[in-house]
Amino acid sequence: MGLKNRKAIRILKRTVASALAACALLCLAGCGTSGWRYTPVTDVNDLEGRRVAVLLSWEADYYLTGREDMEILRYDAVSDMLMAIKSGVVDLMAFDELGAKGVVAGAEGLELVEEPFGYTGYTLYFGGGEEALRDDFNAFLEEYKQTEAFTDHMERLRSFDGETYIPPEIELTGTGDILNVAIEGEGFPRTFMEGGAAIPTGFDVEALELFANSRNYQLVFYVSTYENMVYGLQSGLYDAAAGYLTDLNEEEAIASGLLTSEALDIVPLNFVQKNRETVNLRTAET
């Protein structure tokens, strides 16, 4: 499926907050679970034919496609996945760790499978003629990853509770050329706009702000959709784009004439399953 056909899919990445709000309303515990047995995952590399829900063309879909020990069911929304696991249509859901923690925090009766089944890195996209900018950003990343600021970034990333993003204090100091950056405005917690804020925040934004300060750029952000990001980069309207841009999709981005950076950070991919408390003890074995 080409980039032009992914508009509906990528809009999902801007509506995570809405989907997670729907999660809270589903209240899984005790709903449709009579006869269900608690059979937690013991080996993420052998799912014994279990049915796994993924979001279409998201990280877990790319990573799990081709595995023969499971059946993959693809959905367009987190709320649909939750209905599927509540009703027993699927046994597991699969996300990146940040998304998995958000779902567990937003819905009752779920737990994170702690062992990752894989990893993904999140990148920036650049226009096809921006090799020098991409290379300079990669050079900055190499420097950044040796600093206390990056150590703090990774500690906050690993300790993310699914609900609270705590940003570092970064004052923008650049006074030179303008760097036009398109971002996903509702891609919590990687790129998002808080109420009343003039500029976005999130884990992806941190590296951009530090890069701009280091290279004396003035940052100008544009809240966008994935499709508009791609067209804007191709046309030269934007210099860079950020927001849940996985390295698992790198080949497709390059085929569309875009450039990708090295990974800003690496995030585990995890399964989510119903927890033991979801069992109806009157009718299910435990």
Side-chain angles (χ1 to χ4, degrees):
M1 185 184 298
L3 287 170
K4 292 182 179 179
N5 296 323
R6 295 191 185 271
K7 180 177 181 180
I9 296 166
R10 292 297 176 174
I11 285 176
L12 294 172
K13 288 197 183 281
R14 299 187 300 109
T15 58
V16 170
S18 297
L20 293 183
C23 297
L25 298 177
L26 291 175
C27 189
L28 295 182
C31 294
T33 58
S34 60
W36 174 75
R37 295 169 52 182
Y38 179 63
T39 52
V41 171
T42 58
D43 183 356
V44 296
N45 298 307
D46 184 5
L47 296 185
E48 302 176 327
R50 298 189 197 197
R51 296 158 297 178
V52 180
V54 300
L55 284 170
L56 179 63
S57 290
W58 280 40
E59 299 79 6
D61 188 5
Y62 282 110
Y63 195 93
L64 293 174
T65 293
R67 275 185 53 165
E68 298 180 354
D69 63 327
M70 68 179 69
E71 180 184 354
I72 296 178
L73 285 78
R74 296 174 174 86
Y75 293 87
D76 289 334
V78 174
S79 55
D80 293 337
M81 296 169 69
L82 283 161
M83 289 297 295
I85 197 169
K86 181 196 73 169
S87 61
V89 173
V90 300
D91 305 299
L92 302 166
M93 301 184 292
F95 303 93
D96 78 300
E97 184 184 52
L98 302 179
K101 287 181 175 179
V103 168
V104 171
E108 296 181 15
L110 298 176
E111 65 184 12
L112 185 74
V113 177
E114 296 290 344
E115 182 184 0
F117 63 81
Y119 293 86
T120 185
Y122 288 107
T123 69
L124 298 189
Y125 284 178
F126 298 88
E130 297 289 353
E131 288 87 355
L133 180 61
R134 186 272 315 274
D135 292 346
D136 193 26
F137 184 77
N138 283 342
F140 161 78
L141 279 182
E142 187 174 351
E143 303 164 7
Y144 172 48
K145 291 179 180 180
Q146 308 304 314
T147 67
E148 291 184 5
F150 183 73
T151 299
D152 173 69
H153 170 94
M154 292 305 299
E155 288 176 351
R156 287 181 292 107
L157 194 73
R158 295 188 185 104
S159 63
F160 176 66
D161 64 1
E163 298 178 300
T164 306
Y165 166 75
I166 302 175
E169 294 184 5
I170 302 174
E171 180 183 356
L172 295 176
T173 60
T175 58
D177 293 340
I178 291 176
L179 192 65
N180 295 301
V181 180
I183 62 105
E184 293 275 4
E186 296 181 17
F188 180 82
R190 301 206 67 95
T191 58
F192 63 102
M193 296 293 296
E194 292 192 302
I199 62 174
T201 189
F203 287 114
D204 289 0
V205 178
E206 295 172 20
L208 275 164
E209 291 179 333
L210 292 171
F211 171 66
N213 286 350
S214 174
R215 291 349 189 222
N216 197 36
Y217 284 112
Q218 298 181 65
L219 281 177
V220 176
F221 290 103
Y222 299 85
V223 177
S224 183
T225 66
Y226 182 80
E227 184 180 60
N228 187 56
M229 282 184 183
V230 172
Y231 289 150
L233 290 171
Q234 290 172 333
S235 66
L237 179 62
Y238 308 132
D239 302 307
Y244 278 100
L245 301 177
T246 172
D247 57 4
L248 297 173
N249 193 36
E250 183 176 30
E251 290 185 5
E252 187 175 290
I254 292 173
S256 295
L258 305 182
L259 304 172
T260 63
S261 73
E262 298 295 327
L264 308 177
D265 49 46
I266 304 297
V267 175
L269 302 172
N270 295 84
F271 294 117
V272 171
Q273 63 188 0
K274 286 186 281 191
N275 62 23
R276 190 177 191 88
E277 286 68 34
T278 309
V279 180
N280 184 328
L281 295 177
R282 292 174 300 174
T283 58
E285 292 182 36
T286 59

